[in-house]
Every structure is written in structure tokens, then in C-alpha cells.
Amino acid sequence: MTNPEKIACIETFGCQMNERDTEIMAQLLTRAGYEMTNEPDRADLVVVNTCSIRGKAEQKAMSLLGRLKHSKRTKPGLIVAVTGCVAQQEGGKIQERMNHVDLVIGPQAIYRLPELLDSLQKNGGKMTAIDQAASFTIPSLLPDPGNSALPHKRFVTIMQGCNNFCTYCVVPYTRGREVSRPPADIIAEVKHLAANNVREITLLGQNVNSYGLDRKDRDYPDFPTLLRKVAEIAGVARLRFTTSNPKDLSEELMKCFAELDNLCPHFHLPVQSGSDVILKKMNRKYTIGQYLEKIAGLRRYCPDIAITTDIIVGFPGESAEDFAATMVLLEKVRYHGAYSFKYSDRPHTVSAGFADKVLEEVKSERLRILQARQQEITTERYRACLGHVMEIMVEGESRNGEGQWSGRTGSNHIVNFSGGETLQPGQILEVRIDEACQHSLRGNLI
Ligand code: 5AD
Ligand code: SF4
């Protein structure tokens, strides 16, 4: 039952882990009698779910919080809550700087949101919940099939946190150490979603290859074994996962791409740099030689696999030669796509203390060069699809308008296509590709 006096809005920044956390909070708030809205102006409770991965992400969330100060002036009863990685990182300092923030909740404490709101309403004051317990377990909560933007595909968290400590990365500090969910909870969640017409599942974790390693004593399966179990669940037409560290990518996992029909031929394998010197300073624990062997292994098992990556330019000490090595790597791998970023200092990280920082102009120039070349390669990859018949899963009506539909290939390319009367999201169809655009393909239904 909804209570018209309680309307909540959640603004989400950052990765899929945060998107999933937003779904969980929305579900808990709905249960607690809140109506959810996308319009912050209508809300009595605004939750800002923040990301701290780069300085820019943090600033975006902070400026939204700043604007909420004015909203609170005109609506004194408004409750402002900060969740996500900036909440964990800054804790009570947020409220010291921004007096209008009532609640600061770290990623492990979001399950307590309704209880924290209750006690805030009873006792007033300000609250901070950012404890990170070594014994933390992810509570089991069957997802609400209705509360998602795209109802035919959903994320299922299999583990949280990270033990890798790459020197640039804030995640081990904000999301804590690795915690794997019990396999039975994961299986039950996937079955529940599949029974509610969800056709595509993405298994989520900061470091999915380490799944189960923190719970060896309890005999959890390893990641490839879990993947095989999930792939068997009736109704899962497409299965994906993210994210992996190349150092832990095993032959067993590569085999899954040859053997599991519903595992999509796409692998996001962040490399970060093409220079062994920089990889060492980043504490990535692999060399480019080893990385390329993993790529070759994946392509042996699955020749058509689409490979995407993340790259940081301008890490402290990155020389012109180091950057040139990254450009060489682009030619060697020919990624289907790359997310690339300028290095940014993050609190608590080791690299924030490194000398020889790269100038902002140099970082911008390197990013521009890298992105321009990658765009060419991506377009060449797109063009190679021309004339091919590809299987797509319908996402919905295309933004291009009238009678146009949009779907995704297993390799995760967006395809806009015409033909077909009324299609349902989640339907799988064949499309012949006849045009390659900058960020998508176009085709016709067969
Ligand atoms: N500066 C720039 N990019 C970063 N990333 C992580 N930390 C930083 C940082 N301090 C990038 C990495 C990672 C992606 C999610 O964000 O490429 O894979
Ligand atoms: Fe951002 Fe990383 Fe936190 Fe995701 S885990 S919200 S990317 S800082």
C-alpha cells in the first residue's frame, strides 16, 4: 500500500553495482510504503547513490547534493540521504560540509535503509552507517520483477568488494573486501527472475573470477562452476558477467564460451595500459604478454568473441613510450570497444602519493589520440558485420521513431531495425545487417 505522503526519488551514478543497489533500495522503500518517482521535486526523500571511481563522478554527485540544499529550504521536511561509494569514503564529513544531508549510508548498509529512516523520523538528528564488517553477508532478497527500466534483462550480484588493490583504485576502500553470496541464493534469484519473464541475466561483481575463493571453507563453487549452474536454469536465454581481472581468467572460464550456448560471446577484459612498466606500477599482476595469451585463448575457444576493455591514460610516470605501447596494444587486440579515462587521484589510493604526475594537457591529448584510433577500429569492426545475419534480443522501440525497433546482439552491439509489427522486449529474432553507424548497426528483420 502506498502512502501519498511518502514519495521517494533515487538518483544513481556509477556502475551496474550501484544500479543494482538502487533497485534494492527502491524495493525496500516500496515495501515500507513509499511511492517511487523520477522527479526529485516531487519527493519527500531524495537518495543520491554516488560513485567515487574518478574525481569527475564524485563532483557530479556532490553538485547534485549542493542543489538539494535549495530544495530543502523550500521544503523543510525533505530528507536527503547519500549512499554509494562517496558515502563510504567520506562518511560523516559529508554532513560536516553539507548540513542539509540527513543520512550517510555505505554500500553494506543499504539493506537497513527503512530502519534508519524510521529512527531518523523518531529521533531526528543526523545518522551515518558506514561500518564494514568482516562477517558481512549479502542479505537474500528476491528482486521485484517490476521495478526495472528494461524488464527482460536484470543484474544478479554474485559478489561484492575487491581484494586486488590496484594502486589507482578506490573500490577496495569503498566496497570493502570480497564477499561472495551463497550459491543457493544466486540460483534462487535467477530462477525467480527467469520465472518472471527475464530472459537475460548478467552476473555482477567487481571481480567475478574470484567468486567463492573467500568461502573455500564452505565449499562454494568457483566462478566457472557457478556459471555452468546458472546457464542450466530454464528460461535464461542469454547470460553475461562483469567484471574480470585478466590475471584470474582461467582456461576453465574460456571453455565455458565454447560449451555454453546461452553464454554471450562478449568479454569485457580491462587492460588499463599497454606498458609493462605502468602495469607494474598499477599492481595489475600481469604483463602484456600474458594478457595477449588470454585474449588468444578466448579467441581459440570462441573465434567470434567481442572483446572490450578499460584504459587509463596518464597514470603517474606514463612516458610517451608507455603511451605508444598502449596504442600498439589497440592494433594487436583490435577491441570491439574501449572505455578510456584520464587518470585521476583518488583518496586512500597508493598512486595518489606517486610523484611524476602527468600534466592535464598531456592526459587530454593522449585520451583524444586513443579515442580517435579506437573509434576507427570500432567502426571497422561494425563494417565487418555488413551483410551478416545476426541474432538479436529485442530491447524495445528505437529512439529513431516510427516503426523502428532496437535490439542487441550477443556480442552486445546495438542494432536498430525495421520490420515486424508489435515486438516484445526479450524476443530473439534474426536481422540482416545493412548499415554500420558510429555507435550502432542498422538492419532488417528476416
Ligand atoms: N583514474 C582514472 N580511471 C580510473 N578507473 C579506476 N580508477 C581510476 C582512476 N583513479 C577506471 C579503470 C576501471 C574503470 C571502471 O575506471 O579503467 O576499469
Ligand atoms: Fe563507482 Fe566503483 Fe563504486 Fe561502482 S564500485 S559506484 S564504479 S566507485
Side-chain angles (χ1 to χ4, degrees), residues 53-54 168-169 270 272 310-312 341-344 346:
I53 196 79
R54 288 171 292 276
Y168 52 80
C169 189
Q272 311 301 357
D310 290 346
I311 295 175
I312 298 176
F341 314 99
K342 289 192 266 184
Y343 169 79
S344 134
R346 305 310 297 135

Side-chain angles (χ1 to χ4, degrees), residues 13-15 17-18 50-53 85 170-171 174-175 206:
F13 297 88
C15 65
M17 199 59 96
N18 260 16
T50 61
C51 169
S52 157
I53 196 79
C85 290
V170 78
V171 170
T174 60
R175 294 259 168 193
Q206 257 85 30

Side-chain angles (χ1 to χ4, degrees), residues 62 65 82 86-87 90-98 101 104:
M62 288 312 209
L65 277 174
V82 184
V86 180
E90 299 295 313
K93 278 190 270 176
I94 296 179
Q95 289 144 321
E96 283 166 26
R97 261 191 294 162
M98 293 194 260
V101 173
V104 175

Side-chain angles (χ1 to χ4, degrees), residues 235-247:
V236 178
R238 284 186 172 183
L239 180 57
R240 305 179 185 276
F241 59 81
T242 196
T243 300
S244 315
N245 184 310
K247 79 176 167 59

